[in-house]
Amino acid sequence: MTEVVFLMWPVPKIAIACQGGGSHAAFAAGVLRALLAPQFRDRYQLLALSGTPGGAVCAALVWSGLIRGGADEAGRRLLSFWRDVEVQDALDAVANFWAVSSARLPVSAEISPYLYSPVAEPRLRDLLSRHLDLASLPSEPHRRAKPKLLIGATDITRGVGVAFEGETLIYDELVASAAVPPALSRRAHA
């Protein structure tokens, strides 16, 4: 008699680090959405997410969706956020073109960020409150601990990196990590 033996490999445990910086964050969002798709989500066990600037936002959106309702909710939150950030009309397209074109000029001007208040910060806070909605997450740290979330930022007064954890995450910590592009500010009060 022949016996058939099926070997079951353990599901790999993974942690995902999301890089920020405009197109890098958009790429991270696309990869995360693909990994959350039904055909892939059972192939791994997600233990942790981390990120800096835009990658921190992507990681936080996925983390909050997973805590709330699973992979479908995580993908929905991520897509919804990025749809709100994309070019919506001709004015957005012109502002985007101007920002990219001016960044490519062979001259630059150094302006201290301490001379003005960040014009895009209200827009980012609005997007985070709508799509991340920290207030609706469970308040118990143990319910916010799986998967683990780490948000990277730099403490410029001491010159050291800091990591904020999902168990106690607040919007100020995500904003501290973010490098907010000026183009987001146009719809800040829309």
Side-chain angles (χ1 to χ4, degrees), residues 39-57:
Q39 66 268 30
F40 295 114
R41 65 176 78 146
D42 293 332
R43 295 184 184 185
Y44 62 90
Q45 180 185 1
L46 180 61
L47 297 180
L49 291 152
S50 68
T52 57
V57 172

Side-chain angles (χ1 to χ4, degrees), residues 11-29:
V11 175
K13 296 177 181 181
I14 65 169
I16 299 173
C18 302
Q19 182 176 350
S23 59
H24 293 291
F27 178 80

Side-chain angles (χ1 to χ4, degrees), residues 38-106:
Q39 66 268 30
F40 295 114
R41 65 176 78 146
D42 293 332
R43 295 184 184 185
Y44 62 90
Q45 180 185 1
L46 180 61
L47 297 180
L49 291 152
S50 68
T52 57
V57 172
C58 291
L61 289 164
V62 168
W63 166 80
S64 71
L66 290 171
I67 289 172
R68 280 189 178 86
D72 290 335
E73 177 66 13
R76 186 192 67 72
R77 286 182 179 279
L78 196 57
L79 181 61
S80 180
F81 176 87
W82 281 95
R83 289 264 161 88
D84 274 359
V85 174
E86 71 187 6
V87 170
Q88 302 290 325
D89 54 30
L91 190 54
D92 276 353
V94 169
N96 187 48
F97 176 79
W98 178 83
V100 170
S101 297
S102 64
R104 292 181 178 155
L105 291 174

